[in-house]
Amino acid sequence: MKVTFLLWLILVVVYDVRMRRAPNWLVLAGAVFALGALALGAGPLGHDWRAALLGGGAGFGFLLLFYATGLMGAGDVKFAGALGLWVGVSALAPIWIIASLLASIHGVLWLSLKRWPFFPRLALFLAGPSRSSEPDVPSRRVRVVPYAAYLALAAAVWMVWGRQGS
């Protein structure tokens, strides 16, 4: 199941970096596979149902506060809930810290490049795709920081290196 988990994380990273969204079908697939792995006793991090359900609830509930204030997209919140099912409640804090550090670096770098455009292509990459709902309306950025991607990267780092002492 570790391979399934890592493949799901890779898909989330690629999709969120390219499109700046975590689609419902991808989040739901991750949640279903996490529940299946738990039912088979084959979760990648070896936790039980209680830890998984607490992780899913904590992941969703905590980031829901950021969504309610307009600081985060709904896909990020749903992804955090599905991720919590995979990693359990105890791994969420280090994953959030790593992801938040990566997202902060992304934001600061983007703001710096926006102000001092030394590398315009990097600034455009960091800003993400522009979207326009109508042809005559100027395009707008959906969101700059792909937080679900950073959560996924942090989870992969945690899975590989963070459990060394466990």
Side-chain angles (χ1 to χ4, degrees):
M1 280 298 169
K2 287 183 182 184
V3 172
T4 302
F5 179 56
L6 287 174
L7 287 174
W8 179 62
L9 293 176
I10 290 167
L11 283 172
V12 169
V13 169
V14 169
Y15 206 99
D16 198 28
V17 167
R18 292 186 59 142
M19 304 304 285
R20 292 303 197 263
R21 55 187 302 265
N24 289 336
W25 64 267
L26 189 54
V27 172
L28 184 60
V32 167
F33 278 114
L35 293 173
L38 283 164
L40 296 172
L45 302 182
H47 57 275
D48 60 4
W49 280 94
R50 182 178 177 276
L53 294 176
L54 283 172
F60 184 84
F62 182 69
L63 292 190
L64 189 60
L65 298 172
F66 292 96
Y67 172 74
T69 59
L71 296 172
M72 190 166 289
D76 299 326
V77 176
K78 292 179 274 188
F79 174 72
L83 181 63
L85 292 173
W86 276 106
V87 301
V89 70
S90 64
L92 284 179
I95 288 171
W96 278 333
I97 291 168
I98 295 167
S100 295
L101 288 172
L102 292 172
S104 297
I105 292 167
H106 180 116
V108 167
L109 185 58
W110 176 73
L111 287 172
S112 298
L113 290 173
K114 185 177 168 189
R115 185 168 184 170
W116 300 289
F118 295 119
F119 303 103
R121 285 189 174 184
L122 179 58
L124 284 173
F125 173 76
L126 291 172
S130 59
R131 296 209 178 135
S132 177
S133 57
E134 300 174 22
D136 298 332
V137 177
S139 64
R140 63 178 180 84
R141 300 282 176 203
V142 175
R143 60 186 178 112
V144 174
V145 178
Y147 196 68
Y150 289 127
L151 281 171
L153 287 171
V157 166
W158 175 255
M159 189 174 133
V160 174
W161 289 292
R163 296 184 38 100
Q164 297 289 327
S166 300

